Amino acid sequence: MPHQHVDYYEILGVSRNATQEEIRRAYRRLARKYHPDVNPGDKAAEEKFKQIQEAYSVLSDPNKRKIYDQYGFYSEQAQPGAGASDYGAGRGFGFDFSGFDFSDFMGGPRTRTTEGGFASAFADLFNQFFSRGTRRTARQPEKGTDLEYGLNIDFWQAIRGGQVRLTINRQVPCSSCEGTGSAGGRRMVCPECRGSGTVTQLAGAMRFTLTCPRCEGTGQVRDTCPVCHGEGRILQPETVEVRIPPGVNTGDRLRVAGKGNAGVMGGPPGDLYITVRVNPHPFFQREGDDIIIRVPITVWEASLGAKIEVPTIDGRALVKIPPGTKSGQKFRLREKGVMNTRKGRRGDQIVEVIVQPPPAWDERTRELLRELAQLHPEDVRAEIWKQVEV
């Protein structure tokens, strides 16, 4: 079946000559945008996030990227006979020639044989050559992959900051083999190539020298660690202390260095990235670094003016209401908002007042309101009509 072409560069939105840093920045930006915790229930975003991870896993690795640039794709395939090798199964790339008719190479119908014939042998040879021939060196140290987690915190944790404990699943070095993947570090001469690193394949009258599939060309094999099965890493839960800086907001990403997956063959670990979601508060509304509140005032406070006490994230504060204040009017309390650690200053608190009329449940109140209406018979909506007249 033909391999479906996927343009990893297009997925990450980078050029083909992009540097590793440019690829890393593009991945972080897109991962933050399409992360399932930021887009709960969005299947399209979830699929896009998987594509971004797949593209980054290839383009961030120089060896995989080189293969992808040369052949247009990279696939993880299990290789026959590699179960006890230095790599284990499932690493490398390959071409599938199973559907290719090799008979024309040897002169037409004479070579269209059943399984075991020359054409079949030639096809097998091509499969082996392309799937194994590129892996000629022992596995090199690789940096561990980064981890992405979501974290819900409450409003006050976001305002004041603090420490939270987060349990994650991460790959750590195998303690049994000390991350080498080899039981006791023992190595021996490869029994298939007898230490040469190459094997000979025959196809009819032709002879080919190929990289040994058992030892990947190193000439040595090892006793696979029974705990990690040669991977050198195992998956286990770990509780991580995460520092929440004051003023963090929904969508912010926190980095915990070295708490991603462990590296391969002694490589450094990746990092842990945490996308924050802040639960809303029932009274305080946050807009950036500012806090918005809505406070009711009486008709007489709005008409005569007053000093009222309002809640802030620090406690209580006085707001001066001038005479003639209208409903919906806003007042600013300087530096009573959220601390911005990047700017080194706080936002403001905005107080919006809502004029609340008294309930006219008794006759005395209704009488006073009628008297007030007689004292001020002006039409409060007159200005509206002046503005809408054509």
Side-chain angles (χ1 to χ4, degrees):
M1 182 176 181
H3 194 286
Q4 184 177 3
H5 176 70
V6 179
D7 192 334
Y8 290 148
Y9 292 100
E10 183 178 338
I11 290 174
L12 294 183
V14 297
S15 65
R16 291 191 171 272
N17 58 356
T19 64
Q20 286 296 317
E21 181 58 30
E22 289 172 336
I23 291 172
R24 187 180 181 89
R25 284 200 303 267
Y27 166 72
R28 289 181 176 177
R29 174 175 55 79
L30 293 172
R32 179 166 61 248
K33 180 179 179 181
Y34 292 101
H35 196 280
D37 289 327
V38 180
N39 304 274
D42 189 336
K43 295 296 183 182
E46 181 180 349
E47 183 61 30
K48 182 70 174 179
F49 183 72
K50 291 178 181 178
Q51 294 177 1
I52 292 165
Q53 285 188 311
E54 179 182 339
Y56 180 70
S57 70
V58 172
L59 298 186
S60 63
D61 185 303
N63 293 329
K64 295 179 182 179
R65 183 180 180 183
K66 182 178 180 181
I67 295 170
Y68 175 78
D69 288 342
Q70 184 174 358
Y71 297 104
F73 69 90
Y74 181 93
S75 64
E76 300 288 345
Q77 285 192 336
Q79 302 299 326
S85 72
D86 287 295
Y87 285 82
R91 298 184 182 87
F93 86 104
F95 292 89
D96 184 5
F97 288 92
S98 58
F100 192 87
D101 184 3
F102 286 90
S103 61
D104 291 338
F105 281 93
M106 297 303 296
R110 179 178 62 83
T111 60
R112 291 190 177 95
T113 60
T114 58
E115 184 177 358
F118 183 81
S120 176
F122 205 82
D124 291 342
L125 176 63
F126 265 66
N127 272 321
Q128 294 173 25
F129 182 82
F130 281 101
S131 65
R132 299 172 182 171
T134 58
R135 298 188 293 177
R136 301 181 182 275
T137 59
R139 195 173 186 182
Q140 300 299 312
E142 298 177 14
K143 184 178 185 295
T145 54
D146 295 334
L147 290 177
E148 293 273 353
Y149 270 78
L151 177 64
N152 285 350
I153 60 175
D154 65 37
F155 177 83
W156 292 112
Q157 281 180 306
I159 297 298
R160 297 165 181 163
Q163 295 280 127
V164 298
R165 295 168 67 87
L166 178 66
T167 299
I168 63 173
N169 289 317
R170 61 184 294 258
Q171 290 178 321
V172 298
C174 175
S175 58
S176 177
C177 64
E178 298 181 347
T180 64
S182 176
R186 295 187 299 273
R187 288 180 175 270
M188 57 185 178
V189 174
C190 175
E192 187 163 336
C193 67
R194 299 180 181 179
S196 68
T198 60
V199 292
T200 300
Q201 286 280 347
L202 297 176
M206 292 184 290
R207 182 188 301 269
F208 292 88
T209 300
L210 304 176
T211 301
C212 176
R214 177 78 179 273
C215 67
E216 317 298 341
T218 64
Q220 294 181 326
V221 293
R222 64 188 178 187
D223 291 337
T224 303
C225 174
V227 177
C228 66
H229 306 290
E231 177 65 22
R233 303 176 297 177
I234 57 173
L235 188 68
Q236 70 177 31
E238 181 175 334
T239 300
V240 179
E241 290 281 347
V242 181
R243 177 183 171 272
I244 307 295
V248 71
N249 206 354
T250 294
D252 287 350
R253 293 175 85 223
L254 308 177
R255 173 176 172 264
V256 184
K259 288 301 180 180
N261 285 325
V264 178
M265 300 300 291
D271 298 328
L272 169 64
Y273 288 91
I274 300 171
T275 302
V276 175
R277 183 182 183 280
V278 181
N279 296 326
H281 191 275
F283 180 72
F284 293 109
Q285 179 183 341
R286 181 174 176 179
E287 292 184 4
D289 297 331
D290 294 335
I291 296 292
I292 313 295
I293 66 170
R294 291 173 176 82
V295 178
I297 60 173
T298 63
V299 171
W300 45 92
E301 287 174 332
S303 301
L304 303 176
K307 287 184 178 181
I308 64 172
E309 208 173 43
V310 298
T312 73
I313 58 175
D314 298 319
R316 301 186 178 199
L318 284 177
V319 176
K320 184 178 180 180
I321 306 297
T325 293
K326 297 179 175 61
S327 187
Q329 196 165 333
K330 296 176 180 179
F331 301 91
R332 184 180 297 271
L333 298 176
R334 300 284 180 185
E335 297 188 358
K336 289 292 185 181
V338 182
M339 181 65 188
N340 188 314
T341 54
R342 296 187 184 93
K343 299 178 181 178
R345 62 179 179 82
R346 295 181 61 168
D348 301 329
Q349 177 162 312
I350 310 300
V351 180
E352 180 181 352
V353 295
I354 308 298
V355 178
Q356 187 168 305
W361 292 336
D362 58 278
E363 184 58 33
R364 177 57 179 161
T365 299
R366 290 193 289 269
E367 183 180 344
L368 289 174
L369 291 175
R370 284 192 287 266
E371 289 180 11
L372 183 62
Q374 292 173 359
L375 287 174
H376 297 279
E378 61 271 10
D379 185 359
V380 295
R381 292 173 291 279
E383 289 297 321
I384 295 177
W385 299 111
K386 292 179 182 180
Q387 295 175 21
V388 299
E389 284 180 354
V390 179

